[in-house]
Amino acid sequence: MKIDLIDLKKRSYDEKKELVDCFNKIIKKGSFVLTKEVSDFEKNIQNYTNNKYCLGLNSGTDALMMALWALGIKKGDEVITSPISFVASAGAIAHVGAKPVFVDVDNDLNIDVKLIERSITKKTKAIMPVHWTGKICKMTEILKIAKKYKLKIIEDSAQGMGSYYKNKHAGSFSDIAAFSAHPLKNLNAIGDAGFILTNKKTLYEKIKLYRNHGLKSRDNVHIFGVNSRLDSINAEILSYRLKKLKFIINKRRKNISLYRKYIKTNNIILPKEDIYNYDSYVMMVSKCKNRDKLQKFLQTKGIQTLIYYGTPLHLHKASKVLGYKKGDFPVAEKLCSEVLSFPHHQHLKPNEIKYISNCINKFYE
Ligand SMILES: *Cc1c(COP(=O)(O)O)cnc(C)c1O
C-alpha cells in the first residue's frame, strides 16, 4: 500500500467539474479583482463564523501583518506568542518592527496560559495565541489576562476554520483574527489566500483601505497601502468549498476516532479534545516515542508522515537576534522531538487507517 499524507490531488480530481465551473464563471465575466465573488465570499465567512466583518486577502501571513498594523503595533512593542507555530506568526510580528516574545506551550501544543503573565513587560502590547492544528487556545484565560493588562489580542487562526471553543467559532475571541486558506488548510484555495475577521468597524475599514493601496476610490488615495487582495477565482472556489467544510472536518474527526480504536500501544499519544473545544484537525499531530525511527519504519511500509515541526521557533537562525537559547522553552523543545502527523484526510479508507494502525502497533511490539 502507498498512503499519502496530503490529499490535494485526489481532491482536485473529485471536484474537477465544480472547479472548472468556477473558472468558467470568472473567465466569462473577464473581471478578476475585488469583484462581487470576493464580497460574497466575505459574507459567507461572516455568516459561517458569526462575526461582523471579513476581508479577503492574499495570504494568512498578510492577514497577521495587517492585523498587527491595524492595531498600531510597531517598533519597540512586544507581542507574546507561541514557539510552536509556523514561522509566519513570529515573522509577522518582526515585520511590523515589534519583538516576538515566546511563552512555552502546554502539553496540548498551545500556549501555556499559566506562563503568560510573567512575560508581560511595559512594552507588551498584544498577545497572539496560535490555534495550532485547529485546536483553539484557552481563550477565557487569555481574555482575562488581556483585560487585566490592557493588551490587544490577535488570534493566529490560520488553522482555525471550522474550530469552536465554548460553542464560538475561531476568530470570535479577539480584536482581529487572521486566517489562511493555503492549500494545506481545511478551507483551502488553489494557491495562496487568506482573510481577517473582526467585529470592529474601524479596524475593518482600515484594513480594507490598506489591502488595496489605500484607495478610497480610483483616484483618491487616503493612505499608502499595499496590494493584498484575494483573487476572485479563489474567492469563488472558497465559497464553493466552504459548503463542504463541515463534511470534511467530520470525516477527519471520524478517521481520528478509527485510529483511536485500532492503535493498541501506549507509546503514542493521539490528539485529545478538551471539553470546551471542537477541533478541526488541520493536522493529526500525535506524540510518539522513538519518533524518527517510527517515521522511517512507516516509510518502508509506504506510509507518508510529516513532522510539524522539528524545531521550535526560538531555535531558528532567524530568532538569534531575539536572544533565546536551547532550554528556554523545555515543553516546546521536548514536543518538537515527539510530534508526528499521520494521514487523516477525508479520502482515506477505513482499511487504510487499519493498515497504518497495524504498522504502528507492529513497530512498538
Ligand atoms: C499556514 C499558517 C500561517 C500562514 O498562512 P499563509 O496563508 O501560508 O501565509 C500562519 N500561521 C499558522 C499557524 C499557519 O498554520
Side-chain angles (χ1 to χ4, degrees):
M1 254 198 242
K2 193 181 166 304
I3 304 171
D4 291 331
L5 185 76
I6 291 157
D7 62 310
L8 291 173
K9 266 192 219 159
K10 279 186 182 145
R11 184 152 191 197
S12 308
Y13 187 81
D14 257 23
E15 298 179 337
K16 195 166 170 196
K17 184 189 171 297
E18 288 84 358
L19 295 180
V20 170
D21 285 348
C22 289
F23 267 110
N24 283 337
K25 180 177 169 192
I26 303 291
I27 290 166
K28 251 190 217 153
K29 279 191 164 179
S31 182
F32 306 101
V33 172
L34 290 187
T35 56
K36 185 167 176 300
E37 286 75 22
V38 176
S39 50
D40 282 349
F41 164 72
E42 291 166 348
K43 273 188 213 120
N44 293 336
I45 292 288
Q46 285 160 205
N47 290 336
Y48 193 98
T49 63
N50 205 13
N51 278 270
K52 271 199 188 132
Y53 303 105
C54 171
L55 282 169
L57 303 169
N58 251 329
S59 69
T61 306
D62 270 15
L64 284 169
M65 284 206 276
M66 276 182 220
L68 290 155
W69 167 84
L71 289 168
I73 312 281
K74 56 184 188 309
K75 200 171 168 164
D77 296 341
E78 292 179 0
V79 179
I80 288 174
T81 191
S82 168
I84 298 266
S85 185
F86 179 58
V87 60
S89 320
I93 296 166
H95 262 281
V96 299
K99 183 183 175 194
V101 172
F102 297 115
V103 164
D104 207 354
V105 293
D106 211 338
N107 265 320
D108 65 358
L109 297 157
N110 280 343
I111 195 163
D112 187 339
V113 293
K114 299 186 296 302
L115 304 178
I116 292 177
E117 277 194 81
R118 68 179 75 156
S119 297
I120 294 173
T121 71
K122 282 206 174 71
K123 293 179 178 171
T124 309
K125 289 286 153 59
I127 306 172
M128 182 191 282
V130 180
H131 305 322
W132 192 238
T133 77
K135 177 194 284 300
I136 299 181
C137 298
K138 296 194 172 62
M139 291 312 296
T140 305
E141 287 82 353
I142 292 172
L143 279 159
K144 257 187 218 150
I145 296 167
K147 198 169 170 202
K148 182 169 166 192
Y149 294 91
K150 297 193 170 63
L151 303 177
K152 307 285 185 194
I153 302 178
I154 299 131
E155 285 171 80
D156 183 340
S157 201
Q159 302 188 13
M161 215 38 222
S163 303
Y164 294 83
Y165 174 78
K166 299 189 174 174
N167 295 319
K168 283 163 82 177
H169 193 277
S172 311
F173 304 91
S174 51
D175 296 279
I176 309 186
F179 289 78
S180 166
H182 179 277
L184 293 179
K185 315 297 183 190
N186 280 352
L187 175 68
N188 46 358
I190 50 166
D192 279 307
F195 51 96
I196 58 106
L197 273 183
T198 181
N199 287 303
K200 297 199 169 127
K201 194 165 184 217
T202 49
L203 296 175
Y204 163 78
E205 277 170 353
K206 233 170 145 175
I207 294 177
K208 193 172 179 184
L209 271 180
Y210 192 65
R211 77 166 171 186
N212 190 27
H213 305 292
L215 284 164
K216 198 89 185 166
S217 60
R218 256 194 85 237
D219 204 14
N220 189 356
V221 182
H222 271 217
I223 55 165
F224 290 120
V226 297
N227 171 1
S228 180
R229 301 171 300 230
L230 172 65
D231 290 328
S232 296
I233 181 70
N234 268 324
E236 185 68 11
I237 287 168
L238 288 170
S239 283
Y240 157 65
R241 284 184 166 175
L242 185 61
K243 292 186 221 148
K244 307 177 81 179
L245 183 65
K246 280 214 164 78
F247 165 80
I248 287 167
I249 291 172
N250 249 325
K251 195 84 212 295
R252 290 176 171 219
R253 292 169 58 86
K254 280 197 182 126
N255 287 344
I256 292 172
S257 299
L258 277 182
Y259 275 108
R260 281 206 190 95
K261 192 172 139 195
Y262 293 137
I263 290 183
K264 303 275 187 235
T265 166
N266 297 326
N267 293 299
I268 281 195
I269 302 172
L270 295 174
K272 247 199 347 250
E273 201 168 53
D274 295 324
I275 58 166
Y276 294 127
N277 289 71
Y278 180 91
D279 300 343
S280 65
Y281 294 112
V282 173
M283 309 172 285
M284 180 190 161
V285 174
S286 302
K287 291 171 248 171
C288 311
K289 279 201 186 128
N290 241 329
R291 190 258 325 263
D292 295 338
K293 277 198 183 131
L294 172 65
Q295 186 179 35
K296 281 205 189 92
F297 176 77
L298 293 177
Q299 203 175 0
T300 66
K301 303 287 176 193
I303 300 161
Q304 189 194 12
T305 59
L306 268 181
I307 297 168
Y308 291 102
Y309 285 99
T311 310
L313 293 181
H314 67 288
L315 296 181
H316 280 281
K317 190 175 170 193
S319 294
K320 270 241 166 78
V321 290
L322 302 173
Y324 291 109
K325 59 183 185 315
K326 209 166 176 191
D328 283 344
F329 306 109
V331 181
E333 289 169 29
K334 178 166 178 284
L335 288 171
C336 282
S337 71
E338 298 174 347
V339 289
L340 191 63
S341 287
F342 300 111
H344 73 307
H345 60 73
Q346 62 274 17
H347 301 277
L348 280 180
K349 307 260 177 341
N351 70 321
E352 291 176 311
I353 295 172
K354 195 164 191 180
Y355 170 73
I356 298 168
S357 304
N358 285 342
C359 289
I360 291 170
N361 290 335
K362 200 176 289 163
F363 173 77
Y364 285 112
E365 259 169 34

